[in-house]
Every structure is written in structure tokens, then in C-alpha cells.
């Protein structure tokens, strides 16, 4: 059997190891590697490898909501064939080279500049070279389709299908990488943002939206079409909901359903009426809640990090800057006073 969490040796691939505090397994042989990948992702086979071959794989990973975020390293070259995927998969090389192809599609030649996106319902062939490392994201088909439907006002009846090649040097590709690195930072602390439902939700939805707006798919043009703005009454109702429950894990989609408008209609209504967005309005309410909690805290009883993450702020450097801009002082100053 493969070695479970606790084995800490690193494979010298030259890649920055992600999620390194979340080691899931290490495997040396073919069968162990096959079992690990099948258990964590989906059933796979390694058809060209002999039973006596060694591969040398290490896997770190965690779940954020319903999304699996993993980092894999392979010492030796390996050929993997998967069964039909039930989820969306994004393979982001960080060291070495790969050839990745879903059935019926052109191959993607993966490097640190090019990733591959796989749509559910198709098997795939993966050829990883020596000293290869990648970030592997597995995203629920239903959750991503629901996020798309929320953005389009439920006008997403056909299954979502992405183009296979993702340019990591583009602004969209960089936004996906930025979100993954935020998750990596959050995972490094046992009491960090991922232990707080609001923060974990924010990270997962950021990943969804980064992918939907970064990578071309069969709804890209529909997302670009402006949506009619909501009137003043739905905006006022949404404001009241946010002010009465800032601790609720609001999404713009849920808020739009509550006031019977589309997501983009509500966003446009906030922009026209209040010159802001629902997300920014809620962030301001939570900033004010952080300020109240810091002001009321007993000396030594809490920290800025504890209060900020409790209210859903996962990037603490950015939070501190936004807080200082809003209130004219750093959060640590509020806490000390």
C-alpha cells in the first residue's frame, strides 16, 4: 500500500511545493500510484508501466468546499489513462513538461505557461515527463454549472464546455494562479481562514469565477452580454438583507434570488444606485463589524487575524490596507486602543 500522511521526503523536481502541510500520500510503485490517483481523483490505469517499475509520486491536497486542490510530483516519467471524468479538472504544470489530451480533442502540451482544462464526460490520456509537478484542481460539475446559471440568471441549460488549453500568462490565467496561491497560504495554518466557513466560501467562489471568466467556453459570449439593471426597490431590499445579516455567508446569487432579480441585474442595479457592488457593500459592512469587535476586545484576548478571518477576510495584507483606507488607522492600532 502507499504511504499515508506523515512521510515528508521531497522529490527534487525543482517545483515550489504547494499545500506542503497537507501531505496525503507518497507512492513509489505502479500499483500504489494507481491506487492513490484513483482514490483521490477518478479511476486511472498506467498501461505502459511494468509492475516492477518505480514512479516516485508525492501528493499534497485538501478540499475547499466541494473543490479538491492538490499538488503532485513525479520523479519518473509516467503515462496515465483515466476513465470518463465526472468533474471538471484543471491541470497546471509547475515543473517539467506534459502532453495531455481528452478524447476527441487536440492535445495540450503542458508547461509552466500552459495548462489543460478537462470537461466531464470524457476520458483523458496524460503523459508526464521526468521531474514533473502540477497543481491539480477537481471542481464539481454541478457546483460550477450552478455558479454559471446564477451569473446568467438561470439561462444555462446546456452543459458547460471549456476549451482545452489554458494560457497561464494571460490575465485570466494569472487570476486562477493567484486564487490557488491564496488557498495555499490559507492551508498552511491549522487555525487559518479555511477553518472559517465565510473565508472558505470566498476562496472557492473566487476560483469558480476566475475559471468562468478566464477560460473560453460555450457561454463566454453570453457572459459578456449586459444584463438589465435591477430597479431601486430590489436594491433597497438587498441592502436591508445585507445589513440585517452581515455574518450570513451571502453569495450574490442567493441575494439575487431573495429579491427576484438576476445576478448581473442586481450587480448593475447596485452600480447605478449606490456606485458599488453587492460584494463591495457587504465587505464594507464586515469591515465595520471587524472594527467593532476589535474596539470591544479585551487586551490579549484575541488577535487581528482571528477577528479578520472570522469575518471572511482571507488575504490579511490586503485586509490591513483596505481597513486603513476605510478608517484611517491600521487594525492593530484599533485593537491596542
Amino acid at each position: 500500500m502507499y504511504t499515508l500522511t506523515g512521510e515528508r521526503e521531497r522529490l527534487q523536481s525543482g517545483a515550489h511545493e504547494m499545500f506542503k502541510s497537507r501531505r496525503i500520500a507518497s507512492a513509489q510503485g505502479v500499483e500504489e500510484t494507481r491506487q492513490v490517483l484513483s482514490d483521490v481523483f477518478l479511476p486511472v490505469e498506467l498501461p505502459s508501466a511494468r509492475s516492477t517499475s518505480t514512479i516516485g509520486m508525492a501528493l499534497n491536497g485538501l478540499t475547499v468546499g466541494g473543490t479538491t486542490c492538490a499538488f503532485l510530483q513525479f520523479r519518473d516519467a509516467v503515462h496515465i489513462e483515466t476513465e470518463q471524468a465526472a468533474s471538471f479538472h484543471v491541470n497546471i504544470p509547475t515543473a517539467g513538461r506534459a502532453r495531455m489530451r481528452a478524447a476527441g480533442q487536440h492535445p495540450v502540451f503542458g508547461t509552466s505557461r500552459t495548462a489543460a482544462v478537462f470537461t466531464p464526460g470524457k476520458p483523458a490520456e496524460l503523459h508526464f515527463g521526468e521531474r514533473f509537478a502540477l497543481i491539480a484542481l477537481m471542481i464539481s460539475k454541478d457546483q460550477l454549472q450552478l455558479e454559471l446559471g446564477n451569473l446568467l440568471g438561470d439561462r444555462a441549460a446546456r452543459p458547460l464546455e471549456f476549451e482545452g488549453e489554458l494560457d497561464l500568462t494571460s490575465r485570466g490565467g494569472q487570476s486562477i494562479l493567484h486564487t490557488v496561491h491564496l488557498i495555499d497560504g490559507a492551508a498552511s495554518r491549522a487555525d487559518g481562514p479555511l477553518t472559517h466557513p465565510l473565508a472558505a466560501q470566498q476562496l472557492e467562489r473566487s476560483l469558480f469565477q476566475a475559471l468562468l471568466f478566464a477560460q473560453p467556453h460555450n457561454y463566454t459570449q453570453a457572459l459578456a452580454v449586459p444584463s438589465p439593471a435591477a430597479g431601486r426597490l430590489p436594491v433597497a431590499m438587498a441592502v436591508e438583507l445585507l445589513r440585517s445579516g452581515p455574518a450570513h455567508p451571502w453569495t450574490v446569487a442567493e441575494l439575487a434570488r431573495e429579491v427576484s432579480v438576476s445576478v448581473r441585474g442586481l450587480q448593475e442595479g447596485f452600480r447605478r444606485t449606490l456606485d458599488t457592488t453587492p460584494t463591495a457593500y457587504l465587505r464594507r459592512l464586515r469591515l465595520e463589524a471587524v472594527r467593532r469587535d476589535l474596539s470591544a476586545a479585551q487586551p490579549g484576548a484575541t488577535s487581528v487575524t482571528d477577528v479578520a478571518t472570522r469575518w471572511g477576510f482571507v488575504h490579511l495584507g490586503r485586509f490591513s490596507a483596505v481597513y486603513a483606507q476605510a478608517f484611517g488607522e491600521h487594525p492593530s492600532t484599533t485593537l491596542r486602543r
Side-chain angles (χ1 to χ4, degrees):
M1 289 296 291
Y2 53 82
T3 305
L4 294 176
T5 304
E7 174 134 2
R8 303 304 303 170
E9 77 277 9
R10 295 187 57 174
L11 304 177
Q12 301 302 313
S13 67
H16 167 68
E17 184 178 2
M18 310 251 331
F19 316 125
K20 60 184 178 181
S21 64
R22 305 295 185 96
R23 175 61 59 88
I24 294 177
S26 298
Q28 293 299 318
V30 173
E31 179 56 28
E32 295 92 342
T33 299
R34 187 198 66 77
Q35 190 66 53
V36 171
L37 297 176
S38 297
D39 288 348
V40 176
F41 298 104
L42 75 168
V44 305
E45 296 294 339
L46 284 66
S48 62
R50 298 187 302 274
S51 60
T52 57
S53 300
T54 60
I55 292 173
M57 186 200 73
L59 170 63
N60 306 338
L62 69 155
T63 58
V64 181
T67 299
T68 297
C69 302
F71 178 77
L72 296 97
Q73 298 181 88
F74 296 88
R75 183 188 61 230
D76 300 321
V78 61
H79 172 210
I80 300 169
E81 294 183 358
T82 78
E83 292 190 0
Q84 290 187 5
S87 304
F88 290 96
H89 290 257
V90 184
N91 289 349
I92 304 173
T94 62
R97 293 178 177 274
R99 181 179 184 274
M100 302 175 280
R101 186 178 72 87
Q105 296 186 341
H106 294 295
V108 174
F109 295 94
T111 67
S112 59
R113 300 169 62 90
T114 306
V117 181
F118 297 101
T119 295
K122 297 179 180 179
E125 293 185 12
L126 311 170
H127 298 264
F128 298 154
E130 294 182 352
R131 308 295 182 186
F132 184 72
L134 76 156
I135 299 163
L137 307 175
M138 184 169 67
I139 301 171
S140 164
K141 176 182 69 174
D142 292 339
Q143 285 186 280
L144 195 59
Q145 190 83 28
L146 177 62
E147 183 70 20
L148 175 66
N150 289 334
L151 289 169
L152 293 174
D154 294 326
R155 292 182 287 112
R158 291 176 292 115
L160 175 63
E161 295 184 7
F162 286 98
E163 290 186 6
E165 184 171 309
L166 168 60
D167 181 2
L168 295 172
T169 66
S170 67
R171 180 177 298 179
Q174 289 294 301
S175 70
I176 293 173
L177 287 173
H178 175 70
T179 305
V180 173
H181 281 281
L182 283 178
I183 294 171
D184 181 35
S188 65
R189 304 205 323 268
D191 60 343
L194 293 179
T195 63
H196 297 272
L198 283 179
Q201 178 201 57
Q202 295 270 21
L203 286 169
E204 185 180 35
R205 292 195 64 250
S206 294
L207 189 60
F208 289 172
Q209 295 197 1
L211 183 59
L212 287 170
F213 286 101
Q215 182 64 359
H217 50 78
N218 55 330
Y219 285 98
T220 295
Q221 291 186 345
L223 282 176
V225 175
S227 182
R232 290 182 175 273
L233 179 58
V235 171
M237 293 168 62
V239 165
E240 180 59 29
L241 287 170
L242 294 177
R243 295 188 68 86
S244 63
H248 180 78
W250 289 108
T251 65
V252 182
E254 181 185 8
L255 195 62
R257 286 195 299 271
E258 289 290 331
V259 299
S260 302
V261 296
S262 72
V263 168
R264 290 191 296 163
L266 184 62
Q267 291 171 328
E268 183 63 17
F270 264 73
R271 188 189 66 79
R272 292 188 181 183
T273 305
L274 302 174
D275 194 25
T276 188
T277 66
T279 300
Y281 192 91
L282 179 59
R283 182 168 59 244
R284 175 68 191 205
L285 292 177
R286 289 175 176 166
L287 277 174
E288 292 172 354
V290 169
R291 184 171 175 81
R292 288 195 301 272
D293 287 356
L294 291 176
S295 299
Q298 295 295 322
T302 190
S303 68
V304 171
T305 298
D306 290 339
V307 176
T309 52
R310 186 166 66 242
W311 283 101
F313 295 98
V314 296
H315 193 299
L316 297 178
R318 186 179 302 163
F319 157 75
S320 183
V322 171
Y323 185 98
Q325 183 179 21
F327 302 118
E329 65 181 19
H330 290 290
S332 56
T333 303
T334 306
L335 180 60
R336 285 196 302 271
R337 187 175 66 249

